[in-house]
Amino acid sequence: MALDGIYLHFLKMELKEALIGAKAEKIYQPTKNELVIVLRTRQGAYKLFFSCSGNSSRVNITEHSPDNPQKPPMLCMLLRKHLQGATLKEIRQQEFDRILFFDFDAVNEIGDRVKLCLVTEIMAQHSNIILLNGEGKIIDAFRRMDDEKSVREVLPGGTYVLPPMYEKENILSCDLKAVCERIGKSEKLLSKELLNIFQGFSPLVCREMASLVTGSDETGVALSFSQLEMLENELMKIRNIIEKNTPLPFLLSDADGKPYDFSYMPIKQYSDALEGQECASLSALLDSFFFERDRVERTKRRAWDLYKTLTGAVERVARRINNQTAELKECENKEQLRIFAELITANQYSLEKGVSVYEIPNYYDNNNLVKIPVNSAFAPQKNAQKYYKDYKKAHTAEKMLKTLIEDGKKELTYLESVLDSLSRAQTEAELFAIRNELIDGGYVRNRKNSKQQKQKELPFIEYKTTDGFRVAVGRNNVQNDKLTFKTANNHDMWLHVQGFAGSHTVIFSDKKEITDTAILEAASIAAYHSKARDLKNVPVDYTLIKNIKKPNGAPYGFVVYYTYNTVIVNPNDKNKNS
């Protein structure tokens, strides 16, 4: 990722402009590696999000609302004790190192004013969030480390020491011409050389510089005079951007709309392979990039027990269906069993006991001889009865297996729909609703002794089309049933992705004729809230609510419909149209 030292410098300037002088109003810790501080300013409240997770460490203002756990961890309680009510005075950075210092002016337990510093170190798997007192002593840290685990000690009571820094050039103060001359004598890859020389340069920016100077095919050869001039010119552009504080938040996405990378400047090296777009701010860029990228993984961490239960149930049901299908295949020869029984009965007086095979003319096959295996210890009549018995058993089993397989497929569809709802759940309230649904279905045991707080009833997810129609989406299967059968009216439009698990989506007509534009936009929304959200062309069925039926005894969210139309949409159009 390109959250390099220079990007962090620009982010620091952006945060200073918005947050200096703000008071820490609320503090909570959504997970063991995340921290949220709600800072109140005259312009309003901002949620400042910190993460020291290895693959998504960062700090930014967030628009999303991470859950506040019902029982705060001990570290969160300590941070509240020291920082709640404190005023943010300064945000500092050591040159272009990936460390930010948030200086607070606070009041201690006896009313004395004290200085505190919250340090966020953004260094991949070595990332950390550390609280210091005014003397630079560590109060506590998200990741405690001793000398055996790290090159420095990070423990309460110890003195904070900066991580080791590499000797690199600062682009603001170095002689660019001299540096370029040094690069010109090297035959290493230009991107590698830039990464080794300059502070705060990410691999992405280094590759972009190399692409601009040498073209798309970078080779390890000495640069020409004109290329060195071009390199100096490009480095000067970056220096100017830093000095004038004019970054351009730039997001790269792949063909499916998934976030790929980001920078503080336009990135052109990927040509048409990736799509680039400018963002409103550096914080907004980080917020959207990591939130979407980590959406599924974040839910898995918070609801691992539910994922484990559901995936185990899916595997069991799928295995049971496979076994029943194999048994059903064995029932295909049941008519042969009946014919053998009839042939033995018709010829029993000419057959003898004590043989293991009867050779009998088959009147179903032009009286050709057929060999029928039998038990030599049984009389012909008893062998015939055994074949009749096996035939009835196979006939009964076939009926039962067809019903069981059909029920199993319905259960599998239901479980996959719950898994899909779980993958899109973002709050504790949504997870609570899914857990209750699984308790009702008997998949999760109800913890009678656990004191769970009552959760407020969740609202539907709502959108508005460009021509003014209201669109509602169910968050889970219970909400899907409520939306379709209790909230919507007969002449509202119902939509669902075809062939994939997904949420019920409804366009409320409000006694108006629903437009094609509204149907297309709502279909994109339905595709987005489904298992097919990462595909490009997704078929979505739509029909009036009056055509939707729920069979007796069907699980939550299961419906049938026979009158419908289908439209092909791109789930990513949801963001453009709603």
Side-chain angles (χ1 to χ4, degrees):
M1 297 302 126
L3 185 49
D4 53 30
I6 296 178
Y7 191 103
L8 206 59
H9 166 80
F10 291 126
L11 182 64
K12 174 197 71 175
M13 303 301 289
E14 183 177 285
L15 294 178
K16 286 178 69 171
E17 185 177 349
L19 301 177
I20 292 299
K23 285 190 178 293
E25 190 174 68
K26 296 178 183 177
I27 298 170
Y28 53 100
Q29 188 181 346
T31 69
K32 67 176 183 178
N33 292 324
E34 296 177 344
L35 173 69
V36 177
I37 302 178
V38 178
L39 293 162
R40 175 70 61 178
T41 69
R42 291 182 178 179
Q43 289 71 38
Y46 295 90
K47 293 192 287 284
L48 187 60
F49 179 85
F50 298 81
S51 172
C52 60
S53 179
N55 65 343
S56 58
S57 53
R58 66 194 185 277
V59 56
N60 61 273
I61 294 171
T62 181
E63 293 297 324
H64 299 103
S65 298
D67 289 325
N68 185 2
Q70 294 177 6
K71 185 177 180 181
M74 291 298 294
L75 180 57
C76 180
M77 296 294 288
L78 182 139
L79 291 169
R80 288 177 180 176
K81 172 186 172 182
H82 288 280
L83 289 177
Q84 203 148 345
T87 302
L88 180 61
K89 290 294 186 179
E90 183 60 273
I91 306 175
R92 298 177 286 115
Q93 182 186 20
Q94 178 106 356
E95 294 191 324
F96 292 122
D97 204 4
R98 290 190 296 170
I99 302 174
L100 288 185
F101 301 86
F102 292 79
D103 294 329
F104 287 89
D105 188 1
V107 177
N108 64 15
E109 297 168 330
I110 59 175
D112 294 335
R113 302 205 72 82
V114 294
K115 303 292 183 184
L116 297 170
C117 181
L118 190 65
V119 184
T120 176
E121 300 178 345
I122 301 170
M123 300 179 295
Q125 69 269 24
H126 302 295
S127 299
N128 209 342
I129 303 170
I130 306 167
L131 181 63
L132 310 178
N133 65 16
E135 288 75 45
K137 298 289 185 180
I138 298 171
I139 297 174
D140 211 338
F142 272 58
R143 291 180 176 173
R144 297 180 179 182
M145 294 178 286
D146 55 28
D147 292 335
E148 294 180 0
K149 296 180 181 178
S150 174
V151 295
R152 62 188 177 129
E153 190 176 75
V154 181
L155 293 173
T159 301
Y160 176 75
V161 178
L162 284 168
M165 291 183 64
Y166 296 103
E167 292 295 330
K168 292 188 177 184
E169 299 284 357
N170 186 322
I171 192 171
L172 293 180
S173 57
C174 70
D175 185 339
L176 291 181
K177 184 176 286 293
V179 172
C180 289
E181 288 176 359
R182 194 201 326 167
I183 293 173
K185 296 174 183 177
S186 171
E187 293 189 358
K188 294 180 181 178
L189 290 176
L190 178 56
S191 58
K192 300 284 187 184
E193 195 72 8
L194 290 169
L195 190 62
N196 291 332
I197 289 175
F198 286 103
Q199 291 181 12
F201 273 40
S202 67
L204 176 69
V205 170
C206 292
R207 290 195 303 271
E208 180 68 14
M209 300 290 289
S211 175
L212 292 170
V213 172
T214 65
S216 56
D217 297 323
E218 186 186 0
T219 56
V221 296
L223 300 179
S224 66
F225 180 76
S226 61
Q227 286 176 325
L228 288 174
E229 281 190 332
M230 190 182 302
L231 175 61
E232 184 181 350
N233 185 47
E234 294 299 329
L235 291 170
M236 186 60 72
K237 287 181 182 178
I238 293 181
R239 177 186 281 182
N240 289 336
I241 293 173
I242 298 171
E243 290 176 340
K244 296 177 181 178
N245 192 31
T246 55
L248 180 66
F250 196 80
L251 175 65
L252 288 167
S253 304
D254 63 17
D256 295 325
K258 289 183 180 179
Y260 180 82
D261 216 328
F262 59 88
S263 185
Y264 54 84
M265 55 185 274
I267 302 297
K268 302 175 182 177
Q269 61 187 277
Y270 296 103
S271 187
D272 297 330
L274 297 175
E275 182 180 345
Q277 66 179 77
E278 298 177 14
C279 296
S281 69
L282 298 155
S283 260
L285 191 159
L286 291 179
D287 198 32
S288 62
F289 179 89
F290 285 104
F291 182 83
E292 182 59 29
R293 196 201 66 173
D294 298 342
R295 177 181 54 83
V296 175
E297 190 59 35
R298 183 171 52 250
T299 307
K300 280 185 178 179
R301 286 197 304 267
R302 287 159 50 196
W304 175 245
D305 59 330
L306 294 182
Y307 264 100
K308 190 175 179 180
T309 299
L310 280 170
T311 52
V314 166
E315 289 173 3
R316 285 195 303 273
V317 173
R319 190 163 54 245
R320 188 174 72 225
I321 291 173
N322 288 336
N323 293 337
Q324 290 170 344
T325 303
E327 290 179 36
L328 183 62
K329 192 168 183 64
E330 292 176 2
C331 295
E332 291 178 354
N333 68 339
K334 67 182 187 302
E335 287 301 318
Q336 188 70 38
L337 300 174
R338 181 184 61 79
I339 291 171
F340 283 174
E342 287 185 5
L343 293 176
I344 293 172
T345 302
N347 295 275
Q348 62 180 314
Y349 297 108
S350 63
L351 299 175
E352 297 180 359
K353 182 181 178 181
V355 297
S356 59
V357 176
Y358 296 151
E359 288 194 24
I360 304 174
N362 184 0
Y363 49 74
Y364 286 104
D365 186 23
N366 296 323
N367 286 324
N368 291 321
L369 288 177
V370 61
K371 292 183 179 181
I372 304 175
V374 293
N375 190 331
S376 59
F378 293 166
Q381 185 179 4
K382 193 167 183 181
N383 277 317
Q385 289 173 351
K386 186 177 184 307
Y387 271 113
Y388 272 126
K389 185 177 180 180
D390 290 345
Y391 163 72
K392 289 179 181 178
K393 184 179 178 182
H395 184 72
T396 304
E398 185 180 51
K399 287 183 179 179
M400 292 182 65
L401 285 169
K402 284 181 178 178
T403 302
L404 290 171
I405 290 170
E406 186 63 31
D407 291 344
K409 288 179 177 178
K410 289 178 182 177
E411 184 180 8
L412 191 61
T413 300
Y414 168 72
L415 290 172
E416 287 175 346
S417 70
V418 180
L419 262 175
D420 176 63
S421 298
L422 187 59
S423 72
R424 290 183 279 107
Q426 298 174 9
T427 66
E428 288 293 339
E430 289 177 290
L431 295 178
F432 183 85
I434 292 171
R435 189 182 298 277
N436 281 342
E437 180 183 339
L438 292 173
I439 289 172
D440 290 345
Y443 295 99
V444 174
R445 185 179 298 175
N446 191 7
R447 303 171 187 168
K448 293 182 180 179
N449 296 327
S450 65
K451 296 179 181 179
Q452 293 183 342
Q453 293 184 0
K454 288 186 177 180
Q455 299 281 341
K456 291 182 180 179
E457 188 171 347
L458 286 167
F460 301 121
I461 301 171
E462 293 206 4
Y463 298 91
K464 195 159 242 183
T465 64
T466 53
D467 48 5
F469 286 93
R470 187 164 62 97
V471 178
V473 180
R475 295 175 185 268
N476 50 58
N477 285 310
V478 175
Q479 273 207 344
N480 287 340
D481 276 2
K482 181 181 177 183
L483 175 62
T484 301
F485 297 108
K486 294 184 179 179
T487 305
N489 295 316
N490 279 342
H491 295 287
D492 295 332
M493 188 69 72
W494 184 90
L495 304 95
H496 194 280
V497 67
Q498 186 183 98
F500 291 91
S503 292
H504 294 197
T505 303
V506 170
I507 309 172
F508 294 101
S509 63
D510 293 329
K511 298 181 180 180
K512 296 184 292 185
E513 184 177 351
I514 298 174
T515 64
D516 292 342
T517 300
I519 292 173
L520 279 172
E521 293 180 10
S524 295
I525 292 169
Y528 181 81
H529 290 278
S530 77
K531 200 173 180 179
R533 68 186 297 163
D534 294 326
L535 303 180
K536 275 188 178 179
N537 299 313
V538 180
V540 176
D541 296 338
Y542 64 94
T543 186
L544 294 176
I545 287 287
K546 65 181 182 181
N547 297 323
I548 306 298
K549 308 296 178 188
K550 187 175 185 67
N552 291 333
Y556 290 123
F558 184 85
V559 299
V560 293
Y561 55 95
Y562 303 102
T563 303
Y564 64 93
N565 293 305
T566 304
V567 63
I568 306 295
V569 295
N570 185 339
N572 292 308
D573 290 342
K574 165 256 179 191
N575 297 315
K576 301 173 185 175
N577 298 326
S578 302

